[in-house]
Amino acid sequence: MASMLAKQQGVDVRRALATRITWARDRSDELFALLPAEALYERPIPERHRIIFYLGHLEAFDWNLLHDSVFSLKSLHPEFDRLFAFGIDPVGDGLPDDQPSDWPSVEFVRNYVSQLRSALDAAFTKVAFEGEARSGTASPWTLLNVAIEHRLMHVETLAYMFHQLPLDRKFGRPEEVLRTSAPVQHRRIVIPAGVAALGLQRDSQEFGWDNEYEAHAIPVPAFEIDRYKVTNQQFLEFMAAGGYETRAFWSDDDWEWKNAQGITHPVFWEHEDGQWLFRGMFAKIPLPLSWPAYVSHAEAQAFANWKGKSLPTEAQWHRAAYGTPDGGDRYYPWGQSNPSKEHGNFDLHRWDPAPVNAFPGGDSVFGVRGMLGNGWEWTSTVFAPFPGFEPFPFYRGYSADFFDGRHFVMKGGSARTAACLLRPTFRNWFQGHYQYVYAGFRCVSQ
């Protein structure tokens, strides 16, 4: 009886993984289908690879992770396995200088992708998932979850890249602009003192990346937080007050970066014919004043300094999102029910933001709105390991390579964040000078 139960559990695990793998692949395939073949050789963000790299990278990552350790397969194309293995995230002055001619043809790359998928899928049906399917940091269950979430993270970050392409380089139609009839009434909400329960237990049956461990509690004194993310309207006021020209609002490093790059406004904004426009994924529209302001950490910090406030710490953000007055935690800000369209702007339903006061069904117990979806939120916390951190033995650089003091924790999620990444322990991070991420912010004060 026990063996039959274990076998059935293994079948259920395989079925669930297969469904998630197919869904994730469909999302990445849909994304690449937005571009004509010639656009795949563009580099819309100077710090990143050309798009053609990512077409091969998603499958190469899966193959390099799984073909030997899980499926016992021999390499089909070692040169491509190496070429498409690693992305880049330069924090210095160096930028990639490769040319389109340095990369293989789209046809060759698509053929490579097809071969790897076929080989992995055939081998997947033979893997046993009975018994301790979820045990160990390198179990098949763990590695396949890594592959799935890695792809879904790229589905989002590739949207950042595609967003920067000229509109005529993409197939797609503008989506309906979400508006709310109620004006945004900004106010601060008092969050009582409590504890932020950060991180995952090492023996948790839930998947987590290495930087999500170990679970620990941080006392959080009482503080006040903006009910909504900072809007484009508020950021316009910062600009009108000379925010980009006032030295006192910027750290030395941020001021030097801003001036060197000639940055005078958010990268998603354009000024034409005397008005500000928002450059959406498929169309330019008059700047929606009730939408969250997508900016770099440096710009968010300068705004907070102008206001005489701060960006929240990771613990403060967690307390405002998940905490309760009695000291407990909710799994989501709204409670325990799974994320739905009523709770926020996430899970790839839309391309562009929505008003910050939309989705009242997603309020936290304290009444803070929009903490999941509609744009990640910058925190003041430098990305660093939790106590007890252990790097994944099969992906040692996933987190550890970015514990450099120059990356900051982001929490929440954007319109292009998959629902599985909305768990409370998930930690995102980016360089403080990176403008292209779908990230907003809110301010706090003691």
Coordinates of all heavy atoms in Angstrom, one line a residue, residues 41 65 116 132 187 189 212 250 253 267 284 312 422:
Y41 N 18.4 40.6 -33.1 CA 19.8 41.0 -33.0 C 20.0 42.4 -32.4 O 21.1 42.9 -32.4 CB 20.5 40.9 -34.4 CG 20.6 39.5 -34.9 CD1 19.5 38.9 -35.6 CD2 21.7 38.7 -34.5 CE1 19.6 37.6 -36.0 CE2 21.7 37.4 -34.9 CZ 20.7 36.8 -35.6 OH 20.8 35.5 -36.0
L65 N 21.6 22.6 -16.7 CA 21.2 22.2 -15.3 C 20.8 20.8 -15.2 O 21.0 20.1 -14.2 CB 20.0 23.1 -14.9 CG 19.4 23.0 -13.5 CD1 20.4 23.5 -12.5 CD2 18.1 23.7 -13.4
L116 N 16.9 20.5 -27.9 CA 17.0 20.4 -26.5 C 15.7 20.0 -25.9 O 15.6 19.2 -25.0 CB 17.6 21.6 -25.9 CG 19.1 22.0 -26.3 CD1 19.6 23.1 -25.3 CD2 20.0 20.8 -26.3
E132 N 11.0 10.6 -1.5 CA 11.4 12.0 -1.1 C 11.7 12.9 -2.3 O 12.8 13.3 -2.6 CB 12.7 11.8 -0.3 CG 12.6 11.0 1.0 CD 11.6 11.6 1.9 OE1 11.6 12.8 2.1 OE2 10.8 10.8 2.5
R187 N -2.3 59.2 1.4 CA -2.2 59.3 2.9 C -1.2 58.3 3.4 O -0.9 57.4 2.7 CB -3.5 59.2 3.6 CG -4.2 57.8 3.5 CD -5.6 57.9 4.1 NE -6.3 56.6 4.0 CZ -6.3 55.6 4.9 NH1 -5.5 55.8 6.0 NH2 -6.9 54.5 4.7
I189 N -0.2 55.4 6.3 CA -0.8 54.5 7.2 C 0.1 54.1 8.3 O 1.3 53.8 8.0 CB -1.3 53.2 6.4 CG1 -2.4 53.6 5.5 CG2 -1.7 52.1 7.3 CD1 -3.0 52.5 4.7
E212 N 16.5 32.9 -0.2 CA 15.3 32.9 0.6 C 15.5 32.2 2.0 O 14.6 32.4 2.9 CB 14.1 32.3 -0.1 CG 13.7 33.0 -1.4 CD 12.6 32.4 -2.1 OE1 11.5 32.2 -1.5 OE2 12.8 32.0 -3.3
W250 N 20.8 63.7 -3.6 CA 21.5 62.6 -4.2 C 22.8 62.2 -3.5 O 23.5 63.1 -3.0 CB 21.8 62.9 -5.7 CG 20.6 63.3 -6.5 CD1 20.0 64.5 -6.5 CD2 19.9 62.5 -7.5 NE1 19.0 64.5 -7.4 CE2 18.9 63.3 -8.0 CE3 20.1 61.2 -7.9 CZ2 18.0 62.8 -9.0 CZ3 19.2 60.7 -8.8 CH2 18.2 61.5 -9.4
D253 N 27.6 59.0 -5.3 CA 27.6 58.0 -6.4 C 26.5 58.2 -7.4 O 26.6 58.1 -8.6 CB 27.6 56.6 -5.8 CG 27.8 55.5 -6.9 OD1 28.7 55.7 -7.7 OD2 27.1 54.5 -6.9
V267 N 13.1 56.8 -17.4 CA 13.4 56.3 -18.7 C 12.1 55.9 -19.5 O 12.1 55.8 -20.7 CB 14.3 55.1 -18.6 CG1 13.6 53.8 -18.1 CG2 15.0 54.8 -20.0
K284 N 2.6 54.9 -27.3 CA 2.8 56.1 -26.4 C 1.5 56.7 -26.1 O 0.6 56.8 -27.0 CB 3.7 57.1 -27.1 CG 5.1 56.6 -27.4 CD 5.9 57.7 -28.1 CE 7.3 57.2 -28.6 NZ 8.0 58.3 -29.3
P312 N 11.5 52.1 2.4 CA 11.3 51.1 3.5 C 12.4 50.1 3.5 O 13.0 49.8 2.4 CB 10.0 50.5 3.2 CG 9.8 50.6 1.7 CD 10.4 52.0 1.4
L422 N 5.1 35.4 -6.5 CA 4.5 36.3 -5.5 C 4.5 35.8 -4.1 O 4.0 36.4 -3.2 CB 3.0 36.6 -5.9 CG 2.8 37.2 -7.3 CD1 1.3 37.3 -7.6 CD2 3.4 38.6 -7.4

